[in-house]
Amino acid sequence: MNDSKNFVNHIRPRFVPEGALRVLYTFCLGGVSFLAFIVLGVTGLLLMFHYQPGDNAFSSILTISSVIPYGGVIRNLHYWAGQLMVVTVNLHMLRVVWTHSYKPPKQLNWLVGVGLLIFVLFLDFTGYLLIGSQESGAAATVAVNILGLIRLIGSGLAQILFGEPSVLSGSTLVVYVWHCVALPMVAFLLQLYHFWRVRRDGGVRPL
Ligand code: HEM
């Protein structure tokens, strides 16, 4: 059976191993993380209709919060889903450690999870920069300066990751594209692979 057919079969399996749905084993922390990711995608798309990266970022956020109908609700949902995801992903990782699920045959999925954690944290950080406030400007400056300490590639890397943020606002077009397009797309594909691997490695149950 080739892998693409296999993938479809794993999305809609004919049977699920007994015990795989026990809530007290996983606390559904991975599932809640994915739910938060979907909420972030939908609310993020709605925010994109009115958000302006760059110098106007902060004022466009104020407009979203106070002028655009339901803008405040959408922004709050996006913010809190982001906070929730950071918390649940970390708790999910602790659960995996607690149940020793990082051991063979699940070691590759553990590494995929580490990749996901990095994506989630980078999404959280770039989201914070996009607020365009003085605090986000300070955070961007610190990040750019830390990267600048890496010899030879540091300043180039900072340019690729953040563009040229000012001390007064961390919002740049570069950060915007990372946050709204590149990172979510790759994170989504990685999550699909993560779920597929869960089943390929024998499903969620004590080893
Ligand atoms: C975007 C972030 C993530 C999402 C959406 C996600 C989602 C899931 C889901 C739905 C499961 C099935 C069982 C459950 O719900 O606990 C799972 C299992 C697993 N996850 Fe994650 N996960 C994420 C991040 C991570 C991280 C950060 C790690 C570890 C570094 C990790 C490692 C694992 C492992 C090893 C399993 C298999 C567990 C077992 O079979 O008991 N995941 N993940």
Side-chain angles (χ1 to χ4, degrees):
M1 189 187 297
N2 66 32
D3 264 0
S4 63
K5 193 157 178 217
N6 214 338
F7 185 83
V8 175
N9 284 342
H10 277 79
I11 285 190
R12 193 165 164 69
R14 268 185 290 168
F15 65 90
V16 176
E18 201 180 335
L21 301 177
R22 261 178 48 212
V23 175
L24 290 182
Y25 184 67
T26 62
F27 297 96
C28 205
L29 289 163
V32 174
S33 307
F34 184 60
L35 180 67
F37 184 80
I38 300 293
V39 172
L40 283 164
V42 174
T43 51
L45 184 70
L46 292 173
L47 289 174
M48 283 174 80
F49 281 102
H50 294 282
Y51 177 81
Q52 292 173 35
D55 293 342
N56 293 330
F58 195 65
S59 62
S60 73
I61 288 207
L62 291 183
T63 308
I64 290 172
S65 305
S66 51
V67 179
I68 308 296
Y70 302 106
V73 180
I74 300 295
R75 185 182 169 208
N76 267 297
L77 276 173
H78 194 74
Y79 175 83
W80 286 110
Q83 305 301 307
L84 177 76
M85 189 167 182
V86 171
V87 172
T88 54
V89 165
N90 279 285
L91 291 177
H92 170 60
M93 191 166 80
L94 283 181
R95 191 284 294 175
V96 168
V97 173
W98 179 253
T99 57
H100 293 209
S101 304
Y102 52 85
K103 289 182 179 167
K106 303 184 180 197
Q107 73 276 36
L108 174 58
N109 216 13
W110 167 263
L111 290 179
V112 174
V114 172
L116 280 171
L117 179 68
I118 293 170
F119 271 94
V120 169
L121 294 180
F122 206 64
L123 273 163
D124 198 38
F125 185 62
T126 48
Y128 182 68
L129 299 189
L130 286 184
I131 298 172
S133 61
Q134 286 190 18
E135 287 86 351
S136 78
T141 310
V142 170
V144 168
N145 287 345
I146 290 176
L147 285 176
L149 295 176
I150 305 174
R151 291 174 70 189
L152 300 176
I153 57 163
S155 52
L157 196 61
Q159 178 83 28
I160 290 170
L161 292 178
F162 301 111
E164 282 176 7
S166 77
V167 221
L168 294 177
S169 159
S171 175
T172 63
L173 190 60
V174 173
V175 174
Y176 179 67
V177 174
W178 277 119
H179 183 82
C180 302
V181 186
L183 292 171
M185 264 175 56
V186 182
F188 181 63
L189 294 176
L190 207 57
Q191 281 172 82
L192 292 187
Y193 182 62
H194 191 60
F195 304 152
W196 181 64
R197 277 238 68 89
V198 168
R199 292 199 54 80
R200 271 303 282 267
D201 297 340
V204 183
R205 56 189 159 166
L207 287 170

